Amino acid sequence: MALLLTHTRYQLLETVRVPIALVGNAFFPGAAMLFFVVPAAGDHPVGATIAAASMMTFSVMTSGLFTHGLGVAEDRAQPWDPYTRTLPAGPWPRFGARILTALGMTLIGILPVLAIAVFLTEATATPLQLLLGLGALVVGSIPFQLLGLFIGYALPMKAAVAVVQLLFFPMAVGGGLLTNPMDPPAFIAAVAPFLPSRGAAELVWAAVGYNTPRPLTMVMFGVWIVVAGALALWAYRRDEGNRFS
């Protein structure tokens, strides 16, 4: 535990030393909430609550894919990373620290969305629903953290930037995070259950009291976790082998 906390502190300090990373992580979900949700659904309690949950899921995606996908790829290009792999602590404290750092970035990202929802919309949620929603966001972050780790360990920095951007927006739109989930376009309704973004969103919507996650969506959410986890492990082992072969 001490090693995990040490690695987490190091990675958090490394992140906050680049303030634009914090600003960018918090800006995009908050801006989408302010410019799209508030005018369109701000005075509708159900619509505003669901939209706020969607924007928080959007923030989870941002943190998982960008924090790991770009952060790991950047770390691999530094001479410090191979050295840390030779230390007797093993890989798990570093893996755990990356996950805790991404969760911390997620918390930073959802705060502006939560503030806008509270002060500028009619969104409603009980303290218990907020707590359940936070737990759902943590669970919903799993496939995106694993995908980010896979990209970060499998690709160099320039390629990782491109792949993360190619994955992020289609998943957000295809999962229905930027449309009305009650009346989505036909194409979105057809593809959304097969994307992890929809599974994460349905978990958060259910946590705040709206809708029940669909079985197909949850099955596919689990499939994404298993596949992304296997890919992340493969990419890490391949990178480890390439460095020390």
Side-chain angles (χ1 to χ4, degrees), residues 36-55:
F36 296 105
V37 175
V38 172
D43 58 352
H44 191 285
V46 174
T49 303
I50 292 176
S54 297
M55 290 301 100

Side-chain angles (χ1 to χ4, degrees), residues 20-63:
I20 191 62
L22 300 178
V23 173
N25 191 67
F27 174 77
F28 291 108
M33 183 75 181
L34 183 62
F35 294 119
F36 296 105
V37 175
V38 172
D43 58 352
H44 191 285
V46 174
T49 303
I50 292 176
S54 297
M55 290 301 100
M56 291 182 185
T57 307
F58 187 87
S59 177
V60 162
M61 292 179 59
T62 303
S63 297

Side-chain angles (χ1 to χ4, degrees), residues 1-2 14 24 45-46 54 75 96 101 106 112 134-135 148 160 165 169-170 186 213 224:
M1 180 60 71
E14 191 175 37
V46 174
S54 297
D75 287 348
T101 300
T106 297
L134 183 60
Q165 291 175 337
F169 193 69
W224 275 96

Side-chain angles (χ1 to χ4, degrees), residues 15 31 70 85 92 105 121 126 142 146 154 176-177 203 207 225 230 239:
T15 300
L70 305 188
R85 297 192 187 193
W92 299 114
M105 295 296 288
T121 76
T126 66
I142 295 173
L146 293 173
L177 301 185
L203 286 174
I225 290 175
D239 184 61

Side-chain angles (χ1 to χ4, degrees), residues 7-21:
H7 278 273
T8 302
R9 182 179 63 180
Y10 165 75
Q11 292 191 20
L12 285 171
L13 287 173
E14 191 175 37
T15 300
V16 300
R17 285 172 181 165
V18 185
I20 191 62

Side-chain angles (χ1 to χ4, degrees), residues 9 15 22 54 56 68 70-72 75 100 117 132 146 148 164 170 173 177 182 189 193-194 197 200 204 231 236:
R9 182 179 63 180
T15 300
L22 300 178
S54 297
M56 291 182 185
H68 292 320
L70 305 188
V72 172
D75 287 348
L100 291 178
L132 291 173
L146 293 173
V164 166
V173 174
L177 301 185
M182 302 301 182
F194 300 95
S197 49
V204 182
L231 288 173
Y236 176 81

Side-chain angles (χ1 to χ4, degrees), residues 96-165:
R98 291 191 187 280
I99 292 171
L100 291 178
T101 300
L103 290 176
M105 295 296 288
T106 297
L107 180 61
I108 293 171
I110 68 175
L111 288 177
V113 176
L114 183 61
I116 292 169
V118 169
F119 295 109
L120 299 180
T121 76
E122 297 298 322
T124 59
T126 66
L128 177 59
Q129 287 173 334
L130 288 175
L131 185 61
L132 291 173
L134 183 60
L137 286 171
V138 172
V139 174
S141 74
I142 295 173
F144 305 107
Q145 294 210 42
L146 293 173
L147 283 171
L149 288 170
F150 163 59
I151 293 167
Y153 281 115
L155 300 172
M157 181 64 178
K158 290 183 179 180
V161 171
V163 171
V164 166
Q165 291 175 337

